Amino acid sequence: GQQLNQSPQSMFIQEGEDVSMNCTSSSIFNTWLWYKQDPGEGPVLLIALYKAGELTSNGRLTAQFGITRKDSFLNISASIPSDVGIYFCAGQTFGAGKSTFGDGTTLTVKP
Amino acid sequence: NAGVTQTPKFQVLKTGQSMTLQCAQDMNHEYMSWYRQDPGMGLRLIHYSVGAGITDQGEVPNGYNVSRSTTEDFPLRLLSAAPSQTSVYFCATGRTATSPYFGPGTRLTVT
């Protein structure tokens, strides 16, 4: 089946730094999704991307849908302590009705 | 408006026991799905439904059954629990499959 490679697996950064993480796939996706999961909670949708080349922002978060349709990245600018959590990418193919998730990037922000 | 509710929040089963994990939503979403999340891993799709009366298998369906008799409810049944089914189970809903919203999860331990 389809698999997503999400990197890095974990990041330890200082408050105020910018963060970048990405997902790559051997298959083409029509939709890319980025989620954040806090401990003990379900994932929360941050950004959804529907078109190759699309660049979308949500506050300090910016995500892009790669031109090849096989990758996506998420940037967080000026990190703050509440950014701590696990970030997941997910890809969908048109009409498939299901998402394939990456293994997540665990972000730690030091004050 | 309760959104997505999952019951129970925690459950311990013995090998061979059966149980049903409940998922309910009051947002009139057509799309509902079940994922499992194992430590250090992303979410893997078990089963999903694009509307009442319609279900389909996801990535890891073995050992699980589902039915969708109403728009609001999508129960997940474990017929004979196994230790390999120890995991956190998330229900997700959405107007379409494009951007599912996740419930708070059920933490299941099978001994």
Side-chain angles (χ1 to χ4, degrees), chain B residues 59-109:
Chain B
E59 184 184 352
V60 288
N62 292 339
Y64 308 94
N65 282 349
V66 292
S67 60
R68 183 91 180 272
S69 56
T70 66
T71 299
E72 293 78 19
D73 300 294
F74 191 42
L76 179 72
R77 298 183 187 85
L78 284 71
L79 298 179
S80 180
S84 61
Q85 294 178 305
T86 293
S87 189
V88 181
Y89 291 84
F90 289 100
C91 175
T93 80
R95 290 189 186 84
T96 68
T98 303
S99 53
Y101 293 86
F102 285 81
T106 293
R107 283 144 187 84
L108 176 67
T109 301

mmCIF file of all heavy atoms in Angstrom, chain B residues 59-109:
data_model
loop_
_atom_site.group_PDB
_atom_site.id
_atom_site.type_symbol
_atom_site.label_atom_id
_atom_site.label_comp_id
_atom_site.label_asym_id
_atom_site.label_seq_id
_atom_site.Cartn_x
_atom_site.Cartn_y
_atom_site.Cartn_z
ATOM 1 N N GLU B 59 -6.766 -0.073 5.859
ATOM 2 C CA GLU B 59 -5.436 -0.683 5.775
ATOM 3 C C GLU B 59 -5.294 -1.922 6.656
ATOM 4 O O GLU B 59 -4.627 -2.888 6.285
ATOM 5 C CB GLU B 59 -4.405 0.371 6.183
ATOM 6 C CG GLU B 59 -2.955 -0.030 6.070
ATOM 7 C CD GLU B 59 -2.037 1.063 6.589
ATOM 8 O OE1 GLU B 59 -2.528 2.169 6.894
ATOM 9 O OE2 GLU B 59 -0.825 0.804 6.705
ATOM 10 N N VAL B 60 -5.936 -1.912 7.848
ATOM 11 C CA VAL B 60 -5.768 -2.997 8.822
ATOM 12 C C VAL B 60 -7.125 -3.481 9.342
ATOM 13 O O VAL B 60 -7.440 -3.346 10.523
ATOM 14 C CB VAL B 60 -4.846 -2.565 9.989
ATOM 15 C CG1 VAL B 60 -3.412 -2.468 9.549
ATOM 16 C CG2 VAL B 60 -5.327 -1.242 10.590
ATOM 17 N N PRO B 61 -7.968 -4.101 8.513
ATOM 18 C CA PRO B 61 -9.335 -4.442 8.927
ATOM 19 C C PRO B 61 -9.485 -5.751 9.700
ATOM 20 O O PRO B 61 -10.513 -5.969 10.346
ATOM 21 C CB PRO B 61 -10.055 -4.552 7.578
ATOM 22 C CG PRO B 61 -8.989 -5.061 6.651
ATOM 23 C CD PRO B 61 -7.707 -4.398 7.111
ATOM 24 N N ASN B 62 -8.462 -6.624 9.652
ATOM 25 C CA ASN B 62 -8.620 -7.956 10.224
ATOM 26 C C ASN B 62 -8.842 -7.901 11.734
ATOM 27 O O ASN B 62 -8.113 -7.232 12.457
ATOM 28 C CB ASN B 62 -7.396 -8.819 9.911
ATOM 29 C CG ASN B 62 -7.297 -9.130 8.429
ATOM 30 O OD1 ASN B 62 -8.285 -9.047 7.705
ATOM 31 N ND2 ASN B 62 -6.099 -9.466 7.970
ATOM 32 N N GLY B 63 -9.878 -8.625 12.188
ATOM 33 C CA GLY B 63 -10.197 -8.682 13.620
ATOM 34 C C GLY B 63 -11.228 -7.656 14.043
ATOM 35 O O GLY B 63 -11.596 -7.616 15.222
ATOM 36 N N TYR B 64 -11.676 -6.834 13.096
ATOM 37 C CA TYR B 64 -12.634 -5.776 13.394
ATOM 38 C C TYR B 64 -13.818 -5.837 12.426
ATOM 39 O O TYR B 64 -13.640 -6.095 11.244
ATOM 40 C CB TYR B 64 -12.000 -4.400 13.251
ATOM 41 C CG TYR B 64 -10.719 -4.192 14.014
ATOM 42 C CD1 TYR B 64 -9.489 -4.397 13.398
ATOM 43 C CD2 TYR B 64 -10.725 -3.789 15.350
ATOM 44 C CE1 TYR B 64 -8.307 -4.202 14.076
ATOM 45 C CE2 TYR B 64 -9.552 -3.588 16.038
ATOM 46 C CZ TYR B 64 -8.339 -3.799 15.397
ATOM 47 O OH TYR B 64 -7.169 -3.609 16.083
ATOM 48 N N ASN B 65 -15.003 -5.545 12.964
ATOM 49 C CA ASN B 65 -16.199 -5.417 12.138
ATOM 50 C C ASN B 65 -16.845 -4.068 12.387
ATOM 51 O O ASN B 65 -16.759 -3.524 13.503
ATOM 52 C CB ASN B 65 -17.225 -6.509 12.473
ATOM 53 C CG ASN B 65 -16.863 -7.844 11.857
ATOM 54 O OD1 ASN B 65 -15.962 -7.925 11.025
ATOM 55 N ND2 ASN B 65 -17.538 -8.887 12.272
ATOM 56 N N VAL B 66 -17.528 -3.544 11.366
ATOM 57 C CA VAL B 66 -18.257 -2.295 11.518
ATOM 58 C C VAL B 66 -19.605 -2.418 10.821
ATOM 59 O O VAL B 66 -19.821 -3.308 9.987
ATOM 60 C CB VAL B 66 -17.494 -1.089 10.920
ATOM 61 C CG1 VAL B 66 -16.236 -0.778 11.707
ATOM 62 C CG2 VAL B 66 -17.187 -1.326 9.434
ATOM 63 N N SER B 67 -20.495 -1.505 11.193
ATOM 64 C CA SER B 67 -21.761 -1.346 10.499
ATOM 65 C C SER B 67 -22.143 0.120 10.597
ATOM 66 O O SER B 67 -21.679 0.841 11.477
ATOM 67 C CB SER B 67 -22.848 -2.234 11.112
ATOM 68 O OG SER B 67 -23.059 -1.896 12.463
ATOM 69 N N ARG B 68 -22.979 0.573 9.686
ATOM 70 C CA ARG B 68 -23.399 1.989 9.680
ATOM 71 C C ARG B 68 -24.899 2.013 9.364
ATOM 72 O O ARG B 68 -25.308 2.183 8.219
ATOM 73 C CB ARG B 68 -22.616 2.766 8.625
ATOM 74 C CG ARG B 68 -22.935 4.269 8.611
ATOM 75 C CD ARG B 68 -22.033 5.045 9.488
ATOM 76 N NE ARG B 68 -22.339 6.469 9.484
ATOM 77 C CZ ARG B 68 -21.837 7.336 8.616
ATOM 78 N NH1 ARG B 68 -21.020 6.932 7.654
ATOM 79 N NH2 ARG B 68 -22.150 8.613 8.697
ATOM 80 N N SER B 69 -25.692 1.850 10.409
ATOM 81 C CA SER B 69 -27.143 1.835 10.209
ATOM 82 C C SER B 69 -27.743 3.229 10.260
ATOM 83 O O SER B 69 -28.841 3.452 9.724
ATOM 84 C CB SER B 69 -27.820 0.931 11.247
ATOM 85 O OG SER B 69 -27.479 1.356 12.551
ATOM 86 N N THR B 70 -27.048 4.170 10.870
ATOM 87 C CA THR B 70 -27.519 5.553 10.918
ATOM 88 C C THR B 70 -26.369 6.482 10.550
ATOM 89 O O THR B 70 -25.204 6.093 10.592
ATOM 90 C CB THR B 70 -28.026 5.952 12.313
ATOM 91 O OG1 THR B 70 -26.916 5.955 13.226
ATOM 92 C CG2 THR B 70 -29.091 4.993 12.820
ATOM 93 N N THR B 71 -26.702 7.714 10.204
ATOM 94 C CA THR B 71 -25.662 8.705 9.912
ATOM 95 C C THR B 71 -24.837 9.009 11.163
ATOM 96 O O THR B 71 -23.636 9.248 11.072
ATOM 97 C CB THR B 71 -26.292 10.005 9.390
ATOM 98 O OG1 THR B 71 -26.995 9.724 8.185
ATOM 99 C CG2 THR B 71 -25.249 11.067 9.119
ATOM 100 N N GLU B 72 -25.479 8.982 12.330
ATOM 101 C CA GLU B 72 -24.842 9.446 13.557
ATOM 102 C C GLU B 72 -23.845 8.465 14.168
ATOM 103 O O GLU B 72 -22.923 8.859 14.849
ATOM 104 C CB GLU B 72 -25.911 9.767 14.607
ATOM 105 C CG GLU B 72 -26.800 10.948 14.263
ATOM 106 C CD GLU B 72 -27.876 10.587 13.250
ATOM 107 O OE1 GLU B 72 -28.180 9.373 13.084
ATOM 108 O OE2 GLU B 72 -28.407 11.507 12.609
ATOM 109 N N ASP B 73 -24.047 7.169 13.979
ATOM 110 C CA ASP B 73 -23.273 6.186 14.743
ATOM 111 C C ASP B 73 -22.451 5.257 13.853
ATOM 112 O O ASP B 73 -22.928 4.821 12.790
ATOM 113 C CB ASP B 73 -24.216 5.334 15.601
ATOM 114 C CG ASP B 73 -25.007 6.168 16.583
ATOM 115 O OD1 ASP B 73 -24.386 6.746 17.489
ATOM 116 O OD2 ASP B 73 -26.228 6.268 16.418
ATOM 117 N N PHE B 74 -21.262 4.918 14.336
ATOM 118 C CA PHE B 74 -20.381 4.029 13.570
ATOM 119 C C PHE B 74 -19.607 3.172 14.567
ATOM 120 O O PHE B 74 -18.438 3.436 14.884
ATOM 121 C CB PHE B 74 -19.434 4.855 12.707
ATOM 122 C CG PHE B 74 -18.657 4.062 11.691
ATOM 123 C CD1 PHE B 74 -19.244 3.058 10.943
ATOM 124 C CD2 PHE B 74 -17.311 4.346 11.463
ATOM 125 C CE1 PHE B 74 -18.532 2.344 9.995
ATOM 126 C CE2 PHE B 74 -16.581 3.639 10.513
ATOM 127 C CZ PHE B 74 -17.204 2.635 9.785
ATOM 128 N N PRO B 75 -20.224 2.116 15.112
ATOM 129 C CA PRO B 75 -19.550 1.278 16.108
ATOM 130 C C PRO B 75 -18.501 0.357 15.505
ATOM 131 O O PRO B 75 -18.649 -0.117 14.369
ATOM 132 C CB PRO B 75 -20.710 0.471 16.706
ATOM 133 C CG PRO B 75 -21.732 0.423 15.615
ATOM 134 C CD PRO B 75 -21.612 1.719 14.876
ATOM 135 N N LEU B 76 -17.459 0.107 16.278
ATOM 136 C CA LEU B 76 -16.379 -0.798 15.887
ATOM 137 C C LEU B 76 -16.410 -2.000 16.813
ATOM 138 O O LEU B 76 -16.321 -1.852 18.030
ATOM 139 C CB LEU B 76 -15.023 -0.099 15.996
ATOM 140 C CG LEU B 76 -13.791 -0.934 15.649
ATOM 141 C CD1 LEU B 76 -13.714 -1.192 14.158
ATOM 142 C CD2 LEU B 76 -12.512 -0.242 16.132
ATOM 143 N N ARG B 77 -16.516 -3.188 16.250
ATOM 144 C CA ARG B 77 -16.631 -4.412 17.051
ATOM 145 C C ARG B 77 -15.370 -5.241 16.985
ATOM 146 O O ARG B 77 -14.832 -5.490 15.901
ATOM 147 C CB ARG B 77 -17.813 -5.248 16.562
ATOM 148 C CG ARG B 77 -19.148 -4.558 16.698
ATOM 149 C CD ARG B 77 -20.303 -5.445 16.269
ATOM 150 N NE ARG B 77 -21.553 -4.696 16.247
ATOM 151 C CZ ARG B 77 -21.958 -3.972 15.207
ATOM 152 N NH1 ARG B 77 -21.225 -3.922 14.108
ATOM 153 N NH2 ARG B 77 -23.100 -3.326 15.276
ATOM 154 N N LEU B 78 -14.916 -5.660 18.167
ATOM 155 C CA LEU B 78 -13.837 -6.629 18.270
ATOM 156 C C LEU B 78 -14.491 -7.947 18.676
ATOM 157 O O LEU B 78 -15.054 -8.055 19.763
ATOM 158 C CB LEU B 78 -12.800 -6.218 19.312
ATOM 159 C CG LEU B 78 -11.814 -5.118 18.945
ATOM 160 C CD1 LEU B 78 -12.493 -3.761 18.867
ATOM 161 C CD2 LEU B 78 -10.678 -5.085 19.950
ATOM 162 N N LEU B 79 -14.448 -8.935 17.830
ATOM 163 C CA LEU B 79 -15.172 -10.179 18.084
ATOM 164 C C LEU B 79 -14.432 -11.078 19.062
ATOM 165 O O LEU B 79 -15.045 -11.751 19.885
ATOM 166 C CB LEU B 79 -15.420 -10.910 16.771
ATOM 167 C CG LEU B 79 -16.292 -10.157 15.769
ATOM 168 C CD1 LEU B 79 -16.441 -10.965 14.489
ATOM 169 C CD2 LEU B 79 -17.656 -9.836 16.361
ATOM 170 N N SER B 80 -13.104 -11.106 18.978
ATOM 171 C CA SER B 80 -12.282 -11.936 19.848
ATOM 172 C C SER B 80 -10.960 -11.212 20.052
ATOM 173 O O SER B 80 -10.046 -11.346 19.240
ATOM 174 C CB SER B 80 -12.064 -13.319 19.237
ATOM 175 O OG SER B 80 -11.262 -14.119 20.086
ATOM 176 N N ALA B 81 -10.895 -10.424 21.135
ATOM 177 C CA ALA B 81 -9.753 -9.536 21.329
ATOM 178 C C ALA B 81 -8.433 -10.300 21.458
ATOM 179 O O ALA B 81 -8.373 -11.384 22.071
ATOM 180 C CB ALA B 81 -9.976 -8.674 22.557
ATOM 181 N N ALA B 82 -7.392 -9.689 20.884
ATOM 182 C CA ALA B 82 -6.041 -10.244 20.951
ATOM 183 C C ALA B 82 -5.087 -9.166 21.471
ATOM 184 O O ALA B 82 -5.345 -7.970 21.267
ATOM 185 C CB ALA B 82 -5.596 -10.708 19.568
ATOM 186 N N PRO B 83 -3.993 -9.556 22.134
ATOM 187 C CA PRO B 83 -3.040 -8.557 22.634
ATOM 188 C C PRO B 83 -2.542 -7.598 21.551
ATOM 189 O O PRO B 83 -2.246 -6.430 21.849
ATOM 190 C CB PRO B 83 -1.900 -9.413 23.193
ATOM 191 C CG PRO B 83 -2.577 -10.670 23.631
ATOM 192 C CD PRO B 83 -3.644 -10.920 22.580
ATOM 193 N N SER B 84 -2.477 -8.064 20.314
ATOM 194 C CA SER B 84 -2.031 -7.200 19.211
ATOM 195 C C SER B 84 -3.010 -6.060 18.933
ATOM 196 O O SER B 84 -2.678 -5.114 18.197
ATOM 197 C CB SER B 84 -1.851 -8.030 17.935
ATOM 198 O OG SER B 84 -3.088 -8.626 17.556
ATOM 199 N N GLN B 85 -4.192 -6.128 19.508
ATOM 200 C CA GLN B 85 -5.178 -5.071 19.329
ATOM 201 C C GLN B 85 -5.098 -4.004 20.421
ATOM 202 O O GLN B 85 -5.893 -3.060 20.437
ATOM 203 C CB GLN B 85 -6.589 -5.652 19.249
ATOM 204 C CG GLN B 85 -6.798 -6.503 17.999
ATOM 205 C CD GLN B 85 -8.177 -7.120 17.921
ATOM 206 O OE1 GLN B 85 -8.615 -7.817 18.845
ATOM 207 N NE2 GLN B 85 -8.866 -6.886 16.813
ATOM 208 N N THR B 86 -4.145 -4.158 21.322
ATOM 209 C CA THR B 86 -3.877 -3.101 22.300
ATOM 210 C C THR B 86 -3.415 -1.864 21.548
ATOM 211 O O THR B 86 -2.433 -1.904 20.814
ATOM 212 C CB THR B 86 -2.794 -3.542 23.298
ATOM 213 O OG1 THR B 86 -3.304 -4.608 24.089
ATOM 214 C CG2 THR B 86 -2.383 -2.381 24.193
ATOM 215 N N SER B 87 -4.155 -0.763 21.726
ATOM 216 C CA SER B 87 -3.874 0.430 20.943
ATOM 217 C C SER B 87 -4.785 1.555 21.411
ATOM 218 O O SER B 87 -5.620 1.376 22.295
ATOM 219 C CB SER B 87 -4.123 0.138 19.454
ATOM 220 O OG SER B 87 -3.675 1.202 18.641
ATOM 221 N N VAL B 88 -4.609 2.709 20.810
ATOM 222 C CA VAL B 88 -5.551 3.807 20.983
ATOM 223 C C VAL B 88 -6.374 3.904 19.707
ATOM 224 O O VAL B 88 -5.814 3.960 18.608
ATOM 225 C CB VAL B 88 -4.846 5.149 21.258
ATOM 226 C CG1 VAL B 88 -5.874 6.254 21.462
ATOM 227 C CG2 VAL B 88 -3.939 5.025 22.475
ATOM 228 N N TYR B 89 -7.680 3.913 19.856
ATOM 229 C CA TYR B 89 -8.578 3.906 18.707
ATOM 230 C C TYR B 89 -9.247 5.272 18.570
ATOM 231 O O TYR B 89 -9.812 5.803 19.525
ATOM 232 C CB TYR B 89 -9.641 2.814 18.875
ATOM 233 C CG TYR B 89 -9.056 1.435 18.772
ATOM 234 C CD1 TYR B 89 -8.472 0.817 19.881
ATOM 235 C CD2 TYR B 89 -9.049 0.758 17.560
ATOM 236 C CE1 TYR B 89 -7.905 -0.444 19.784
ATOM 237 C CE2 TYR B 89 -8.488 -0.505 17.449
ATOM 238 C CZ TYR B 89 -7.915 -1.097 18.561
ATOM 239 O OH TYR B 89 -7.348 -2.346 18.443
ATOM 240 N N PHE B 90 -9.169 5.807 17.363
ATOM 241 C CA PHE B 90 -9.770 7.101 17.078
ATOM 242 C C PHE B 90 -10.850 6.954 16.016
ATOM 243 O O PHE B 90 -10.652 6.298 14.993
ATOM 244 C CB PHE B 90 -8.726 8.099 16.577
ATOM 245 C CG PHE B 90 -7.768 8.560 17.637
ATOM 246 C CD1 PHE B 90 -6.501 8.006 17.718
ATOM 247 C CD2 PHE B 90 -8.135 9.522 18.553
ATOM 248 C CE1 PHE B 90 -5.607 8.429 18.689
ATOM 249 C CE2 PHE B 90 -7.246 9.953 19.532
ATOM 250 C CZ PHE B 90 -5.984 9.399 19.601
ATOM 251 N N CYS B 91 -11.968 7.612 16.289
ATOM 252 C CA CYS B 91 -13.018 7.743 15.299
ATOM 253 C C CYS B 91 -12.871 9.113 14.661
ATOM 254 O O CYS B 91 -12.519 10.091 15.341
ATOM 255 C CB CYS B 91 -14.385 7.606 15.979
ATOM 256 S SG CYS B 91 -15.786 7.888 14.900
ATOM 257 N N ALA B 92 -13.118 9.215 13.368
ATOM 258 C CA ALA B 92 -13.030 10.495 12.671
ATOM 259 C C ALA B 92 -14.252 10.669 11.782
ATOM 260 O O ALA B 92 -14.764 9.687 11.224
ATOM 261 C CB ALA B 92 -11.754 10.576 11.834
ATOM 262 N N THR B 93 -14.707 11.898 11.638
ATOM 263 C CA THR B 93 -15.870 12.179 10.793
ATOM 264 C C THR B 93 -15.575 13.388 9.912
ATOM 265 O O THR B 93 -14.671 14.160 10.176
ATOM 266 C CB THR B 93 -17.128 12.458 11.631
ATOM 267 O OG1 THR B 93 -17.090 13.811 12.114
ATOM 268 C CG2 THR B 93 -17.243 11.534 12.822
ATOM 269 N N GLY B 94 -16.392 13.549 8.869
ATOM 270 C CA GLY B 94 -16.253 14.710 8.003
ATOM 271 C C GLY B 94 -17.388 14.765 6.999
ATOM 272 O O GLY B 94 -18.058 13.754 6.757
ATOM 273 N N ARG B 95 -17.600 15.934 6.423
ATOM 274 C CA ARG B 95 -18.608 16.060 5.364
ATOM 275 C C ARG B 95 -18.196 15.206 4.168
ATOM 276 O O ARG B 95 -19.019 14.625 3.485
ATOM 277 C CB ARG B 95 -18.764 17.511 4.932
ATOM 278 C CG ARG B 95 -19.427 18.391 5.963
ATOM 279 C CD ARG B 95 -19.753 19.764 5.413
ATOM 280 N NE ARG B 95 -20.255 20.634 6.458
ATOM 281 C CZ ARG B 95 -19.481 21.323 7.280
ATOM 282 N NH1 ARG B 95 -18.172 21.254 7.166
ATOM 283 N NH2 ARG B 95 -20.007 22.081 8.223
ATOM 284 N N THR B 96 -16.891 15.158 3.937
ATOM 285 C CA THR B 96 -16.341 14.238 2.946
ATOM 286 C C THR B 96 -15.137 13.585 3.587
ATOM 287 O O THR B 96 -14.806 13.857 4.743
ATOM 288 C CB THR B 96 -15.900 14.984 1.672
ATOM 289 O OG1 THR B 96 -14.775 15.805 1.998
ATOM 290 C CG2 THR B 96 -17.012 15.826 1.101
ATOM 291 N N ALA B 97 -14.448 12.762 2.831
ATOM 292 C CA ALA B 97 -13.252 12.111 3.364
ATOM 293 C C ALA B 97 -12.064 13.059 3.393
ATOM 294 O O ALA B 97 -11.028 12.744 3.945
ATOM 295 C CB ALA B 97 -12.911 10.894 2.511
ATOM 296 N N THR B 98 -12.234 14.260 2.811
ATOM 297 C CA THR B 98 -11.093 15.139 2.592
ATOM 298 C C THR B 98 -10.481 15.656 3.882
ATOM 299 O O THR B 98 -9.271 15.765 3.994
ATOM 300 C CB THR B 98 -11.509 16.329 1.723
ATOM 301 O OG1 THR B 98 -12.050 15.833 0.506
ATOM 302 C CG2 THR B 98 -10.329 17.216 1.420
ATOM 303 N N SER B 99 -11.287 16.013 4.843
ATOM 304 C CA SER B 99 -10.733 16.634 6.048
ATOM 305 C C SER B 99 -11.431 16.099 7.286
ATOM 306 O O SER B 99 -12.268 16.768 7.878
ATOM 307 C CB SER B 99 -10.868 18.154 5.986
ATOM 308 O OG SER B 99 -12.217 18.507 5.725
ATOM 309 N N PRO B 100 -11.099 14.864 7.673
ATOM 310 C CA PRO B 100 -11.780 14.274 8.819
ATOM 311 C C PRO B 100 -11.411 14.933 10.144
ATOM 312 O O PRO B 100 -10.282 15.376 10.325
ATOM 313 C CB PRO B 100 -11.316 12.813 8.789
ATOM 314 C CG PRO B 100 -10.045 12.828 8.033
ATOM 315 C CD PRO B 100 -10.159 13.940 7.046
ATOM 316 N N TYR B 101 -12.377 15.000 11.045
ATOM 317 C CA TYR B 101 -12.186 15.514 12.391
ATOM 318 C C TYR B 101 -12.180 14.343 13.354
ATOM 319 O O TYR B 101 -13.046 13.468 13.280
ATOM 320 C CB TYR B 101 -13.306 16.491 12.752
ATOM 321 C CG TYR B 101 -13.262 17.753 11.935
ATOM 322 C CD1 TYR B 101 -13.881 17.808 10.695
ATOM 323 C CD2 TYR B 101 -12.588 18.873 12.397
ATOM 324 C CE1 TYR B 101 -13.835 18.958 9.929
ATOM 325 C CE2 TYR B 101 -12.546 20.023 11.636
ATOM 326 C CZ TYR B 101 -13.163 20.063 10.410
ATOM 327 O OH TYR B 101 -13.100 21.199 9.654
ATOM 328 N N PHE B 102 -11.228 14.328 14.269
ATOM 329 C CA PHE B 102 -11.022 13.181 15.131
ATOM 330 C C PHE B 102 -11.691 13.354 16.488
ATOM 331 O O PHE B 102 -11.747 14.463 17.037
ATOM 332 C CB PHE B 102 -9.533 12.941 15.336
ATOM 333 C CG PHE B 102 -8.872 12.325 14.135
ATOM 334 C CD1 PHE B 102 -8.491 13.103 13.058
ATOM 335 C CD2 PHE B 102 -8.650 10.958 14.084
ATOM 336 C CE1 PHE B 102 -7.894 12.525 11.941
ATOM 337 C CE2 PHE B 102 -8.049 10.382 12.975
ATOM 338 C CZ PHE B 102 -7.675 11.165 11.912
ATOM 339 N N GLY B 103 -12.164 12.228 17.035
ATOM 340 C CA GLY B 103 -12.668 12.181 18.394
ATOM 341 C C GLY B 103 -11.526 12.085 19.388
ATOM 342 O O GLY B 103 -10.353 12.039 19.005
ATOM 343 N N PRO B 104 -11.831 12.015 20.693
ATOM 344 C CA PRO B 104 -10.797 12.022 21.734
ATOM 345 C C PRO B 104 -10.085 10.693 21.928
ATOM 346 O O PRO B 104 -9.063 10.633 22.599
ATOM 347 C CB PRO B 104 -11.577 12.406 22.990
ATOM 348 C CG PRO B 104 -12.960 11.919 22.723
ATOM 349 C CD PRO B 104 -13.185 12.101 21.256
ATOM 350 N N GLY B 105 -10.620 9.611 21.370
ATOM 351 C CA GLY B 105 -9.927 8.331 21.439
ATOM 352 C C GLY B 105 -10.425 7.406 22.534
ATOM 353 O O GLY B 105 -10.996 7.843 23.538
ATOM 354 N N THR B 106 -10.223 6.105 22.317
ATOM 355 C CA THR B 106 -10.460 5.053 23.303
ATOM 356 C C THR B 106 -9.167 4.279 23.476
ATOM 357 O O THR B 106 -8.608 3.785 22.493
ATOM 358 C CB THR B 106 -11.576 4.081 22.842
ATOM 359 O OG1 THR B 106 -12.820 4.748 22.809
ATOM 360 C CG2 THR B 106 -11.668 2.894 23.788
ATOM 361 N N ARG B 107 -8.708 4.199 24.717
ATOM 362 C CA ARG B 107 -7.467 3.481 25.000
ATOM 363 C C ARG B 107 -7.796 2.066 25.429
ATOM 364 O O ARG B 107 -8.389 1.862 26.475
ATOM 365 C CB ARG B 107 -6.677 4.236 26.068
ATOM 366 C CG ARG B 107 -5.982 5.441 25.498
ATOM 367 C CD ARG B 107 -5.935 6.616 26.448
ATOM 368 N NE ARG B 107 -5.402 7.783 25.769
ATOM 369 C CZ ARG B 107 -6.128 8.614 25.021
ATOM 370 N NH1 ARG B 107 -7.414 8.412 24.863
ATOM 371 N NH2 ARG B 107 -5.580 9.647 24.427
ATOM 372 N N LEU B 108 -7.412 1.100 24.604
ATOM 373 C CA LEU B 108 -7.758 -0.306 24.812
ATOM 374 C C LEU B 108 -6.514 -1.111 25.136
ATOM 375 O O LEU B 108 -5.508 -1.023 24.432
ATOM 376 C CB LEU B 108 -8.430 -0.885 23.570
ATOM 377 C CG LEU B 108 -8.751 -2.373 23.615
ATOM 378 C CD1 LEU B 108 -9.831 -2.653 24.651
ATOM 379 C CD2 LEU B 108 -9.178 -2.892 22.252
ATOM 380 N N THR B 109 -6.609 -1.895 26.214
ATOM 381 C CA THR B 109 -5.543 -2.824 26.578
ATOM 382 C C THR B 109 -6.111 -4.229 26.585
ATOM 383 O O THR B 109 -7.152 -4.473 27.209
ATOM 384 C CB THR B 109 -4.966 -2.502 27.965
ATOM 385 O OG1 THR B 109 -4.460 -1.165 27.966
ATOM 386 C CG2 THR B 109 -3.849 -3.469 28.324
#
